[in-house]
Amino acid sequence: MIELKNIEKYYSSKGIKHYVLRHVTTTIKQGEFVSIMGPSGSGKSTLLNILGMLEEPTYGTFEFLGEDVTSLNERKRIELYRNHIGFVFQAYHLIDEMTVYENIEAPLLYKKVGSSERASRIANLLDKFNIVAKKDLFPNQLSGGQQQLVGIARALATQPSIILADEPTGNLQSAQAEEIMQLFQKLNKEEGITIIQVTHSEKNATYGNRILNIQDGVIKEDSPTQAPQMGGVV
Amino acid sequence: MFKLNLKIAWRNLWKNKVYAAINIGGLALGLTAFVLMLLYINHEESYDTWSPDLKNVYQIREKHDFFTPDNKEHWNEISNSRIANLIRTKLPQAFAVTKVDNDWDFSSVYSLKIDNANPVVINKIKDSDSSFFHVFPYHFLQGSADKALENKNTIVLKESLAIKLFGTTKVLGKTVNVVRWRSDKGSPLTITGIVADPKTPQSLSFNAITRTGDKDKDPENPTNNNYCFLYAKLNKLSDTLVINQTLQKLYIDLKKNLLGGQKQRYNDLYKDGKLPGLKLIPIETVHSTPPYKMNWFEKLKPVIAISAFLLLISVINFINLATAQSVQRAKEVGVKKVLGCYKRQLTWQFLIESALQSIISLFLCIILIEVVLPAFNSQFNVDLSFWHNAQLLTMIAQLAGLFVLVTLLAGLYPAWVLSNYNPVSVLKGNYENVLRGIALRNVLVVFQFVISVTFIISIGIMQMQSRFMSNKDLGFERGNLINIKSNYEDNFAERLKKIPGIEYVATTTQVMGNTFNVPEEVKYKGNSINLNTVTVTMDALPALGVKVIQGRIFSKEFKQDTVNTVVLNEAAANLFGKNIIGQTYGKVDWEGKTNIFQIVGIIKNYHNEGFDKSVLPTVYKVTSLGGTSNTNNLLVRFNTSQYKDLINKIEKQWKVLYPNFPMEYTSLDDVFSKSLEDNDRFMNMIILFSIVSVSLSLLGLFALSTFVAKRRTKEIAVRKVLGASNIQIVNLLNKSFLILVIVANLISWPIAYIIIKKWLDGFAYRIDMPVFPFFIATLISIIIAVLTVSIQARKAAVTNPVNALKYE
Ligand SMILES: Nc1ncnc2c1ncn2[C@@H]1O[C@H](COP(=O)(O)OP(=O)(O)OP(=O)(O)O)[C@@H](O)[C@H]1O
Ligand SMILES: [Mg+2]
């Protein structure tokens, strides 16, 4: 579903190009659970942002669902956000002025989902993530792990085909992190949602089925995970 | 979506209560000032719009130089009464023409006597002819427009006057006795109609219209002319351009006729491009085109500018605070964008938030208006009302327009800034390039302070000028002096002189409050000198308490004073030259004879008009040689300041002689305060507006510094950990604002100088431009700005750095 060809990204300052990504060429298929790893500053976030169309590569082509999306206008990009892509952030980025319920509802409103459909989907998600009791609370009344659950519920509300997560457990304790990772794995296996996450933790990476290792902007290694629990691609 | 946005807007306002209160309160104040102006403008524009039939009603204006204040030709509201007949007979388009009394400043009240009750003084009773209600479409509650003034000795009352006099409008057929001056026998007039008070003001306002018969005919002698208001009603769809051309021709014929058919005299009078002139103007334009005076709009211009500035200041606060707040909102924008929200939708969301605030301000403003309107009405001598307003619908439409305008002005820029945030940088937690609009914000803060500092400088200088005026030596003693509205009559004057405590009883044509200028040209040593002539009685100059500079003033000891002596004021003396006591000059009278006058004294200039006009070169004379004038002044000087009892005694004498006309008088102290009133009123308003504008600017600065301090919390914390002292932190925050305030001061100096110079130039007697207020204004603005910012900065400085670092 994702096809990157020779992606390059550099920032130029004082006439010197500082490369962040070089010759990145890879394919990610529907239903894969990919973990991007690498040292700090190696370009992981940049790559994920490009995948999320938040940044444009300086060179190369990017195809999403068979369509060239290297540079898109706002309308098309937002169409993709509404229908295909869900984001999960390290800092959760819930909207502080909205309740849990409203946060999950927001993307559905943008997508113009009907109100009864909306209500049932949200109820479903709240139920699934065990946060029904929290639905009228504001983000600052939740723990970090709970906030991240809401963040994931929000990303899932529009039933996207892919989730992009930049260090989703970076701010969490290991128990909570584990819970999130299991959730991801479940979503990937049972619902066939493609997941691409950036992570620093070897352990987290094992929940996925493929690891991209980046160093200095170059993909150094692209390998399936050795985990015994790995199942087949759905 | 809309509902959710509204909800979020509300939660945001709630979260930033102080900021929202400043925004909304400030905007409400700005709006209030502006809406008051709107109300006032609407009121002024509504003159003579009370009936659709007024579309065909016109005032006639004649170009002439009779009774004009500067003795030059003007288009006058009062015209030769013969013109009415001219139009009636020669202009077929005219449906009806009517003549109406004009207002004379010094004899505007009549005394009304009903049966044997005490006489009541009523103003604005105007004499007219039978056509008045054919021209003006007044609505008759009793009687009818056709019949009301059919006969002589009739009177039509306005509903309000009927209620005031009788308590009812059912008074047809009753008789009222109208006494027009103190020794008038009075004419019994029959009430033949009651008309409703129109909803909007009238340029020709009256309490009652009488038809005594005086206006029915013109003077027989062609050299005698009566002047009065003339109004005509034209047939529908008359082309005034064509009619005015016809009128001009008719008028020239009339002029030639009146001048005895002698072509020569006509050509004599109208040479050097001077032309007789006659025209019709639509009645709606009468109020806005007063002859030889500023119209209301000209007068209001500075006030309009000031209230617009005030609104602008509050809008600027709005913009500044909204953009300053944007850091808090950046994350929301970033997240929403990746959730699939269009930029357009975000723009709308932020506009809705502005709209929410402006609508609250608008409601507050309506409440505020209700509260301040009584004070405003008494200040400006109007009777405005918001709800009981004939133009309530217009007003609501204007408010809606204002609401949209303010929302767009205040909300568009912040909405644009906010919705333009790039999600990547925001979500990375990188706010630095989010802080757009800092330059603009600085410009706006400077702009606000320019306005405020200009206001402060202006108040200072205006205060100095008005202190100068109220302390200025008037050249006469205004205390213990009253002016009775009456001509000098020996019988009455002698009775008064017998009352102990009364020093002088006299009359003059020139006294503060009622000045009548009669120009004349005299010949002195072969030169022509233009002077203003004032007729006085022997005691007038001592009664006024003028100061003699040279020679003497009039006295009974000198027989010659009733023959041909004159006293000059300094201004006049300067025109004559030196050593002029005892000298004589000549003046040619209207019969061609030269009269010789001898100068016996020079007095110090004394003021008889506001300080905006310089004292005219004036000659004072007791003698009737060369003509006299009489203008309803009776000066009475007491030798005590406890003269209340004395006035009662005077009134007793008055009642004996003139039982049917109440006595009216003013003290010269009151007249003087009244002459300063316009200026005081203007100043009070400027002061009020300045205070509001300065406080709004400061509130804005206060809120802005809060946000800046908040934004820099982390920086401050880090600096503190690195060892900065609280003072250093406060200075750090102050510095950026201080520069803005100083820049603002530098800009406002020349602006204030130009504006104030123009204002001062309007006074013939004024102070020199002082520099002191400029420095004071700068000092004040810097001190309060520093104080305002320091409060916030201190708060930021003393917080424990750990708190800040932990949460960022
Ligand atoms: N706007 C920018 N201008 C210049 N350089 C940038 C910009 N944004 C990112 N970079 C550079 O790009 C490089 C890669 O950044 P990126 O955020 O992708 O790293 P990362 O792999 O996600 O690191 P981390 O694990 O610390 O999050 C860094 O060296 C950074 O300095
Ligand atoms: Mg990163």
Side-chain angles (χ1 to χ4, degrees):
Chain A
M1 88 188 294
I2 286 172
E3 189 81 56
L4 295 179
K5 271 191 211 132
N6 226 349
I7 293 290
E8 306 218 329
K9 176 86 184 173
Y10 58 81
Y11 294 98
S12 35
S13 72
K14 292 172 192 150
I16 304 165
K17 292 176 185 173
H18 295 278
Y19 278 92
V20 180
L21 293 175
R22 295 205 84 155
H23 311 300
V24 175
T25 304
T26 188
T27 308
I28 294 169
K29 289 201 270 308
Q30 177 97 41
E32 277 191 287
F33 184 168
V34 182
S35 302
I36 303 174
M37 296 190 73
S40 190
S42 54
K44 307 180 293 293
S45 295
T46 310
L47 179 60
L48 200 75
N49 284 342
I50 289 174
L51 289 172
M53 289 161 248
L54 293 170
E55 282 180 67
E56 275 184 28
T58 19
Y59 184 83
T61 54
F62 171 20
E63 277 179 25
F64 186 82
L65 296 171
E67 201 183 333
D68 185 358
V69 294
T70 319
S71 56
L72 275 186
N73 61 17
E74 191 203 6
R75 171 164 291 279
K76 285 236 177 80
R77 195 176 66 240
I78 289 206
E79 274 321 300
L80 288 178
Y81 290 164
R82 285 181 183 179
N83 297 311
H84 295 287
I85 304 176
F87 288 90
V88 175
F89 304 96
Q90 174 178 3
Y92 330 127
H93 288 327
L94 300 179
I95 297 175
D96 299 329
E97 284 74 32
M98 292 187 189
T99 61
V100 166
Y101 188 96
E102 286 161 354
N103 261 295
I104 302 174
E105 189 183 26
L108 297 173
L109 287 170
Y110 294 130
K111 202 180 167 179
K112 300 199 174 69
V113 173
S115 69
S116 56
E117 166 81 14
R118 224 160 51 215
S120 79
R121 274 202 214 177
I122 300 168
N124 224 334
L125 286 165
L126 289 170
D127 191 41
K128 197 156 151 192
F129 291 180
N130 226 347
I131 44 176
V132 181
K134 316 271 182 211
K135 74 176 174 35
D136 289 323
L137 297 182
F138 286 93
N140 58 10
Q141 296 166 308
L142 299 177
S143 76
Q146 288 164 338
Q147 287 189 49
Q148 194 58 299
L149 282 178
V150 176
I152 295 169
R154 181 177 68 183
L156 289 172
T158 53
Q159 300 172 338
S161 43
I162 182 165
I163 281 186
L164 301 174
D166 195 345
E167 303 185 42
T169 60
N171 283 7
L172 299 178
Q173 287 176 355
S174 53
Q176 291 169 311
E178 205 163 316
E179 194 187 339
I180 300 286
M181 279 304 118
Q182 275 162 3
L183 182 62
F184 271 4
Q185 195 174 40
K186 196 168 147 218
L187 288 170
N188 175 253
K189 280 198 181 135
E190 292 175 8
E191 296 178 28
I193 297 173
T194 313
I195 294 176
I196 304 176
Q197 69 164 345
V198 169
T199 181
H200 279 285
S201 132
E202 294 282 350
K203 183 158 177 272
N204 285 352
T206 58
Y207 287 90
N209 47 28
R210 182 176 164 195
I211 295 174
L212 285 179
N213 211 321
I214 297 188
Q215 271 170 35
D216 292 330
V218 180
I219 299 183
K220 277 271 143 50
E221 204 186 327
D222 182 354
S223 56
T225 47
Q226 311 300 309
Q229 71 263 48
M230 188 193 131
V233 175
V234 183
Chain B
M1 193 77 245
F2 179 78
K3 228 172 75 190
L4 186 66
N5 277 343
L6 211 58
K7 215 159 43 178
I8 293 180
W10 183 252
R11 285 178 194 152
N12 254 313
L13 284 189
W14 194 245
K15 204 166 93 187
N16 301 306
K17 281 185 280 292
V18 178
Y19 147 82
I22 289 174
N23 242 358
I24 292 172
L27 201 56
L29 276 178
L31 277 174
T32 305
F34 200 76
V35 169
L36 281 177
M37 270 314 103
L38 269 184
L39 268 176
Y40 189 77
I41 291 173
N42 284 347
H43 170 263
E44 292 293 312
E45 290 208 312
S46 71
Y47 264 81
D48 299 317
T49 56
W50 42 273
S51 163
D53 291 339
L54 285 167
K55 286 263 174 301
N56 304 317
V57 178
Y58 295 82
Q59 187 187 51
I60 287 139
R61 290 207 175 168
E62 187 187 0
K63 202 167 165 188
H64 61 69
D65 57 6
F66 299 107
F67 309 112
T68 59
D70 53 1
N71 284 69
K72 301 221 172 74
E73 258 198 357
H74 290 280
W75 283 104
N76 279 282
E77 286 195 281
I78 50 169
S79 310
N80 191 324
S81 66
R82 293 174 207 282
I83 292 166
N85 205 36
L86 178 77
I87 294 176
R88 201 174 287 134
T89 51
K90 301 264 172 67
L91 195 74
Q93 293 96 324
F95 177 82
V97 189
T98 186
K99 304 183 227 175
V100 193
D101 271 347
N102 55 309
D103 305 297
W104 292 109
D105 281 347
F106 39 85
S107 62
S108 51
V109 297
Y110 288 173
S111 163
L112 244 79
K113 229 173 119 78
I114 300 157
D115 301 332
N116 286 323
N118 277 335
V120 214
V121 180
I122 302 290
N123 62 357
K124 295 195 205 157
I125 296 181
K126 305 213 158 147
D127 196 33
S128 184
D129 53 22
S130 59
S131 307
F132 185 85
F133 292 105
H134 301 158
V135 173
F136 289 99
Y138 280 92
H139 173 60
F140 272 78
L141 301 171
Q142 305 277 316
S144 75
D146 288 339
K147 296 269 164 61
L149 299 177
E150 206 176 24
N151 299 311
K152 275 187 198 175
N153 297 324
T154 48
I155 182 167
V156 173
L157 308 181
K158 272 237 181 100
E159 187 185 4
S160 49
L161 180 63
I163 301 279
K164 184 173 161 191
L165 291 178
F166 300 98
T168 167
T169 57
K170 302 216 162 30
V171 290
L172 279 199
K174 287 204 171 160
T175 305
V176 287
N177 206 7
V178 177
V179 183
R180 285 186 282 174
W181 60 91
R182 53 175 194 180
S183 49
D184 182 17
K185 294 276 170 332
S187 13
L189 305 177
T190 311
I191 301 174
T192 52
I194 305 291
V195 293
D197 290 77
K199 286 224 165 53
T200 64
Q202 308 107 61
S203 58
L204 177 78
S205 72
F206 62 86
N207 280 316
I209 292 290
T210 63
R211 183 183 169 202
T212 58
D214 291 356
K215 288 271 175 303
D216 290 356
K217 49 192 183 297
D218 300 318
E220 298 207 342
N221 185 340
T223 58
N224 276 357
N225 293 310
N226 277 345
Y227 283 83
C228 60
F229 287 142
L230 297 178
Y231 295 90
K233 184 177 189 174
L234 300 187
N235 292 329
K236 283 196 178 78
L237 305 171
S238 302
D239 183 349
T240 46
L241 219 67
V242 177
I243 290 184
N244 277 335
Q245 281 167 358
T246 321
L247 268 183
Q248 181 73 13
K249 280 194 207 103
L250 289 173
Y251 181 65
I252 291 177
D253 290 343
L254 175 80
K255 270 276 157 181
K256 284 179 178 163
N257 247 327
L258 287 177
L259 292 167
Q262 305 165 17
K263 214 169 172 203
Q264 198 45 49
R265 285 201 62 190
Y266 174 83
N267 289 344
D268 238 23
L269 208 55
Y270 295 106
K271 55 189 178 194
D272 307 332
K274 218 169 125 182
L275 261 180
L278 188 67
K279 66 174 179 184
L280 292 168
I281 64 164
I283 188 139
E284 309 102 87
T285 64
V286 168
H287 178 66
S288 56
T289 53
Y292 40 78
K293 255 198 286 179
M294 266 205 278
N295 71 13
W296 63 268
F297 188 70
E298 291 293 321
K299 280 193 219 155
L300 204 64
K301 257 187 191 163
V303 185
I304 294 175
I306 291 169
S307 48
F309 274 133
L310 210 57
L311 186 61
L312 210 57
I313 285 186
S314 45
V315 166
I316 287 176
N317 270 351
F318 206 109
I319 296 174
N320 278 350
L321 295 180
T323 52
Q325 199 202 194
S326 58
V327 178
Q328 296 183 351
R329 307 295 299 273
K331 190 178 92 183
E332 182 186 335
V333 172
V335 172
K336 282 190 171 168
K337 278 191 172 177
V338 300
L339 290 182
C341 181
Y342 284 120
K343 206 169 91 186
R344 181 167 34 86
Q345 288 173 299
L346 285 167
T347 312
W348 269 113
Q349 184 200 329
F350 291 116
L351 272 181
I352 286 171
E353 289 189 15
S354 306
L356 183 68
Q357 297 182 59
S358 19
I359 200 104
I360 299 174
S361 317
L362 206 59
F363 279 117
L364 265 180
C365 146
I366 291 173
I367 295 170
L368 265 176
I369 284 178
E370 285 296 300
V371 175
V372 300
L373 207 51
F376 182 87
N377 279 339
S378 69
Q379 264 285 316
F380 291 93
N381 210 1
V382 282
D383 184 26
L384 303 180
S385 152
F386 186 78
W387 296 111
H388 308 283
N389 191 323
Q391 305 135 297
L392 189 61
L393 277 181
T394 327
M395 197 66 220
I396 287 173
Q398 283 168 338
L399 282 184
L402 197 60
F403 162 72
V404 172
L405 182 79
V406 167
T407 304
L408 288 183
L409 262 182
L412 208 54
Y413 177 75
W416 180 78
V417 168
L418 280 168
S419 55
N420 257 327
Y421 283 154
N422 179 3
V424 191
S425 32
V426 174
L427 297 177
K428 263 188 190 167
N430 174 4
Y431 292 131
E432 268 325 302
N433 66 348
V434 157
L435 295 170
R436 234 181 293 193
I438 290 184
L440 179 97
R441 204 149 67 223
N442 289 347
V443 170
L444 293 180
V445 169
V446 168
F447 184 71
Q448 272 185 326
F449 267 81
V450 167
I451 296 176
S452 298
V453 171
T454 308
F455 270 137
I456 300 177
I457 296 175
S458 310
I459 303 180
I461 297 179
M462 291 172 97
Q463 202 103 50
M464 288 168 84
Q465 167 71 10
S466 71
R467 203 174 323 126
F468 166 79
M469 289 193 294
S470 46
N471 293 334
K472 187 168 183 335
D473 180 13
L474 292 176
F476 73 95
E477 305 289 336
R478 62 172 201 269
N480 308 342
L481 185 62
I482 63 163
N483 184 6
I484 301 174
K485 234 179 213 182
S486 164
N487 278 338
Y488 189 92
E489 201 192 52
D490 281 331
N491 186 5
F492 184 55
E494 287 313 317
R495 279 165 185 257
L496 296 194
K497 280 178 188 166
K498 288 203 188 90
I499 301 174
I502 291 184
E503 224 175 332
Y504 295 108
V505 180
T507 185
T508 167
T509 54
Q510 186 195 59
V511 61
M512 190 169 262
N514 183 11
T515 297
F516 187 69
N517 294 329
V518 183
E520 67 174 26
E521 193 185 276
V522 304
K523 283 266 188 293
Y524 177 67
K525 292 187 175 166
N527 300 322
S528 316
I529 298 175
N530 287 308
L531 295 174
N532 175 37
T533 315
V534 169
T535 312
V536 294
T537 50
M538 205 67 96
D539 281 345
L541 294 179
L544 284 167
V546 299
K547 295 180 185 70
V548 183
I549 293 180
Q550 250 188 310
R552 60 173 180 87
I553 47 176
F554 306 115
S555 161
K556 284 198 182 66
E557 297 155 35
F558 300 91
K559 274 271 150 50
Q560 203 203 352
D561 282 357
T562 52
V563 183
N564 74 339
T565 60
V566 295
V567 168
L568 301 182
N569 71 359
E570 252 182 307
N574 289 340
L575 296 177
F576 280 82
K578 289 205 168 66
N579 300 325
I580 53 171
I581 300 293
Q583 301 283 2
T584 59
Y585 67 79
K587 188 196 161 236
V588 184
D589 73 7
W590 52 280
E591 284 171 321
K593 208 174 92 207
T594 302
N595 296 312
I596 303 293
F597 293 91
Q598 188 186 24
I599 302 165
V600 295
I602 299 170
I603 59 167
K604 203 168 171 223
N605 288 345
Y606 73 84
H607 287 270
N608 43 67
E609 285 183 87
F611 293 104
D612 50 339
K613 300 192 185 73
S614 44
V615 175
L616 296 172
T618 307
V619 50
Y620 300 86
K621 62 191 189 66
V622 174
T623 163
S624 58
L625 190 65
T628 60
S629 319
N630 211 335
T631 55
N632 264 0
N633 291 318
L634 189 66
L635 300 178
V636 177
R637 154 124 4 237
F638 306 107
N639 58 14
T640 161
S641 56
Q642 310 298 318
Y643 56 77
K644 252 207 139 78
D645 280 348
L646 293 173
I647 287 179
N648 287 337
K649 285 182 185 158
I650 296 174
E651 261 173 338
K652 220 179 257 161
Q653 295 301 327
W654 175 281
K655 279 219 178 91
V656 172
L657 289 178
Y658 322 114
N660 290 332
F661 205 95
M663 182 176 103
E664 273 192 289
Y665 73 93
T666 50
S667 79
L668 267 289
D669 273 331
D670 287 348
V671 172
F672 177 63
S673 331
K674 217 172 148 123
S675 78
L676 298 178
E677 211 171 54
D678 264 357
N679 189 57
D680 285 349
R681 186 178 294 162
F682 187 64
M683 250 197 53
N684 284 342
M685 189 173 53
I686 301 276
I687 290 178
L688 179 73
F689 276 67
S690 313
I691 291 172
V692 175
S693 99
V694 172
S695 0
L696 280 182
S697 301
L698 285 179
L699 278 178
L701 190 68
F702 178 78
L704 198 57
S705 55
T706 315
F707 279 107
V708 171
K710 215 184 235 170
R711 195 191 86 215
R712 296 174 73 170
T713 323
K714 193 169 158 191
E715 180 194 337
I716 290 167
V718 171
R719 279 177 192 269
K720 282 191 76 172
V721 172
L722 296 178
S725 71
N726 288 351
I727 292 288
Q728 281 168 320
I729 301 280
V730 171
N731 285 346
L732 174 80
L733 287 172
N734 261 322
K735 214 170 64 192
S736 50
F737 284 111
L738 208 54
I739 291 169
L740 299 185
V741 174
I742 289 170
V743 168
N745 269 288
L746 292 181
I747 297 175
S748 51
W749 279 14
I751 295 176
Y753 182 86
I754 293 166
I755 295 175
I756 283 291
K757 178 113 192 3
K758 213 172 153 208
W759 182 75
L760 277 178
D761 281 347
F763 293 91
Y765 300 90
R766 58 177 179 257
I767 51 172
D768 294 329
M769 179 72 79
V771 283
F772 178 67
F774 288 83
F775 289 111
I776 286 290
T778 302
L779 204 64
I780 291 178
S781 63
I782 288 175
I783 288 175
I784 48 189
V786 166
L787 279 180
T788 311
V789 174
S790 296
I791 295 172
Q792 280 313 310
R794 220 187 81 83
K795 236 200 236 155
V798 297
T799 46
N800 189 342
V802 179
N803 295 333
L805 293 177
K806 214 160 70 187
Y807 291 115
E808 264 299 314

